[in-house]
């Protein structure tokens, strides 16, 4: 679980850093990075869920069956393979004047990420609740605090994620509140 948490933290850090310098012309200077960091978004919520799963279990090694959670990532990489093999100038042109294929692909990818965020957050919260009930009488104060912090963090993340999804969809359909 610690390795998964490190990987999750590393990916979040990379994404936050990328989003921060994106407005400074990162992709104009390095067009081959276009859509590379976007793919990391498909790993965040499965990693969150798996980190909780492995934290609460006695598994010492990663179960290969858990790679199923990364199927959306693999599918998106395959769908974007045509983009990745293009020249830097072509990538910039596609990103500026999006073809219908890449617009639809972006919408589908964003929806998958949104769905993953909600589903994996709920699954992680269920795991935490089930575990808390199971060992209620055997927990130390430190264990209770760790579970509460993790539960609160995931709950807040889920709430923010849902608000963000609603906001994006309202903006997409040009709905005014």
């Amino acid at each position: 679980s610690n390795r998964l948490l490190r990987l999750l933290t590393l990916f979040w850090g990379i994404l936050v850093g990328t989003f921060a310098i994106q407005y400074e012309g990162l992709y104009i200077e390095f067009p081959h990075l276009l859509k590379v960091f976007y793919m990391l978004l498909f790993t965040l919520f499965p990693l969150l869920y798996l980190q909780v799963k492995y934290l609460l279990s006695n598994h010492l090694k990663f179960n290969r069956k858990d790679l199923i959670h990364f199927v959306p990532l693999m599918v998106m990489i395959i769908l974007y393979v045509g983009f990745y093999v293009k020249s830097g100038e072509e990538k910039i042109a596609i990103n500026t004047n999006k073809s219908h294929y890449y617009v639809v692909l972006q919408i589908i990818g964003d929806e998958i990420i949104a769905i993953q965020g909600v589903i994996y957050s709920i699954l992680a919260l269920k795991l935490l609740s089930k575990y808390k009930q199971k060992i209620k009488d055997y927990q130390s104060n430190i264990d209770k605090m760790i579970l509460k912090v993790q539960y609160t963090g995931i709950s807040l993340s889920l709430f923010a994620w849902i608000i963000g999804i609603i906001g994006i969809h309202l903006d997409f359909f040009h709905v005014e509140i």
Side-chain angles (χ1 to χ4, degrees):
S1 91
N2 287 339
R3 289 181 185 150
L4 292 170
L5 183 59
R6 280 192 294 254
L7 195 57
L8 179 62
T9 305
L10 173 68
F11 288 173
W12 265 118
I14 290 170
L15 286 169
V16 168
T18 302
F19 291 143
I21 60 175
Q22 182 172 325
Y23 293 104
E24 298 298 322
L26 171 73
Y27 295 126
I28 301 298
E29 299 256 342
F30 305 101
H32 293 293
L33 293 178
L34 275 164
K35 298 299 178 193
V36 171
F37 298 116
Y38 176 68
M39 294 301 156
L40 289 180
L41 290 170
F42 292 92
T43 67
L44 296 179
F45 291 103
L47 281 173
L48 172 71
Y49 167 74
L50 291 173
Q51 188 275 327
V52 170
K53 176 184 170 183
Y54 282 93
L55 175 69
L56 304 178
S57 71
N58 58 0
H59 288 92
L60 297 176
K61 288 191 168 193
F62 188 79
N63 187 342
R64 289 181 188 221
K65 289 180 182 178
D66 286 330
L67 290 174
I68 191 91
H69 298 284
F70 299 100
V71 167
L73 169 67
M74 293 300 126
V75 169
M76 291 305 289
I77 289 172
I78 291 167
L79 292 173
Y80 270 103
V81 89
F83 179 81
Y84 292 131
V85 297
K86 296 195 182 303
S87 71
E89 293 81 23
E90 289 174 306
K91 288 178 181 178
I92 291 171
I94 288 171
N95 198 50
T96 306
N97 309 314
K98 295 197 188 273
S99 71
H100 186 68
Y101 174 79
Y102 289 110
V103 169
V104 170
L105 196 54
Q106 179 77 38
I107 291 169
I108 290 170
D110 291 348
E111 292 299 320
I112 289 171
I113 293 166
I115 291 167
Q116 278 186 326
V118 172
I119 290 173
Y120 281 114
S121 295
I122 291 170
L123 290 174
L125 290 172
K126 281 187 171 186
L127 281 176
L128 287 167
S129 292
K130 187 176 176 181
Y131 181 77
K132 186 177 178 182
Q133 291 299 320
K134 187 170 144 182
I135 63 163
K136 189 162 87 172
D137 297 331
Y138 305 106
Q139 286 180 312
S140 69
N141 287 336
I142 293 173
D143 290 337
K144 288 179 185 176
M145 186 179 68
I146 290 170
L147 287 176
K148 188 174 184 176
V149 166
Q150 192 145 23
Y151 193 88
T152 303
I154 294 171
S155 297
L156 290 172
S157 172
L158 176 61
F159 178 72
W161 196 248
I162 290 172
I163 295 298
I165 291 169
I166 291 169
I168 288 170
H169 283 89
L170 290 176
D171 186 45
F172 181 76
F173 293 111
H174 304 291
V175 175
E176 290 186 31
I177 299 179

